[in-house]
């Protein structure tokens, strides 16, 4: 019986390749982690779009919309945004004359190292969208317009 011999260089190359793969997974995360992160980014983009539309409605009408459907009816949104994975609509609740709450369920907590998560070339409006994993709600207020 012949035993295959493995050179030290071959072992070193195999170990280096394995170390590179592990480092990549640690640094970038698994493909499913990246997919979950992208879904959370889409959720934040949707909430930012809703927030801008609600603020615009208040500026034009002097009142918050009662529902997100009314923003669609007035063509301030093309559709009521829904969760990209479940298809469930986000929660919108007016809570005062100029204040409202937006809620969504996130897969992962936002990155605490970044003050404005997901700002990868996306306009996220005036708000900071920090969230934990699971249901997160944002209590927002329509900003006062500066007088000229």
């Amino acid at each position: 019986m012949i035993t295959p011999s493995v050179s030290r260089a071959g072992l070193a190359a195999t170990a280096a390749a394995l170390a590179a793969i592990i480092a990549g997974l640690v640094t970038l995360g698994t493909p499913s982690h990246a997919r979950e992160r992208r879904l959370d980014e889409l959720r934040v983009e949707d909430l930012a779009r809703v927030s801008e539309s609600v603020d615009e409605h208040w500026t034009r009408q002097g009142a918050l919309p009662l529902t997100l459907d009314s923003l669609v009816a007035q063509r301030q949104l093309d559709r009521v945004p829904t969760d990209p994975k479940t298809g469930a609509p986000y929660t919108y609740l007016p809570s005062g004359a100029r204040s409202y709450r937006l809620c969504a369920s996130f897969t992962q907590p936002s990155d605490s190292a970044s003050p404005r998560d997901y700002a990868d070339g996306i306009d996220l409006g005036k708000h900071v969208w920090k969230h934990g994993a699971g249901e997160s709600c944002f209590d927002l207020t329509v900003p006062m317009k500066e007088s000229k």
Side-chain angles (χ1 to χ4, degrees):
M1 178 174 195
I2 300 176
T3 349
S5 65
V6 179
S7 70
R8 287 185 184 176
L11 283 176
T14 302
L18 186 58
I21 291 170
I22 291 170
L25 287 175
V26 168
T27 302
L28 301 174
T30 63
S32 67
H33 180 81
R35 242 185 332 274
E36 290 171 351
R37 173 95 173 147
R38 181 61 189 140
L39 289 173
D40 283 349
E41 289 173 355
L42 292 172
R43 291 176 182 108
V44 168
E45 290 172 29
D46 285 345
L47 294 178
R49 190 171 25 261
V50 167
S51 175
E52 289 297 317
S53 296
V54 168
D55 293 356
E56 175 76 18
H57 183 276
W58 192 91
T59 300
R60 289 182 181 184
Q61 307 290 326
L64 293 174
L66 296 177
T67 65
L68 295 182
D69 288 321
S70 63
L71 293 174
V72 174
Q74 295 176 15
R75 298 178 187 217
Q76 289 176 286
L77 282 175
D78 60 341
R79 62 176 177 74
V80 173
T82 58
D83 184 278
K85 186 173 183 179
T86 67
Y90 301 109
T91 301
Y92 163 76
L93 297 168
S95 56
R98 289 181 35 242
S99 58
Y100 57 98
R101 175 176 270 210
L102 289 176
C103 303
S105 289
F106 294 93
T107 308
Q108 303 171 4
S110 55
D111 179 8
S112 59
S114 170
R116 288 184 50 92
D117 273 329
Y118 314 118
D120 216 11
I122 303 161
D123 180 14
L124 298 180
K126 306 159 201 63
H127 307 292
V128 175
W129 302 98
K130 291 252 175 253
H131 57 81
E135 182 79 8
S136 290
C137 293
F138 304 91
D139 293 312
L140 307 172
T141 301
V142 176
M144 296 295 284
K145 295 292 180 185
E146 296 177 18
S147 42
K148 296 182 181 180

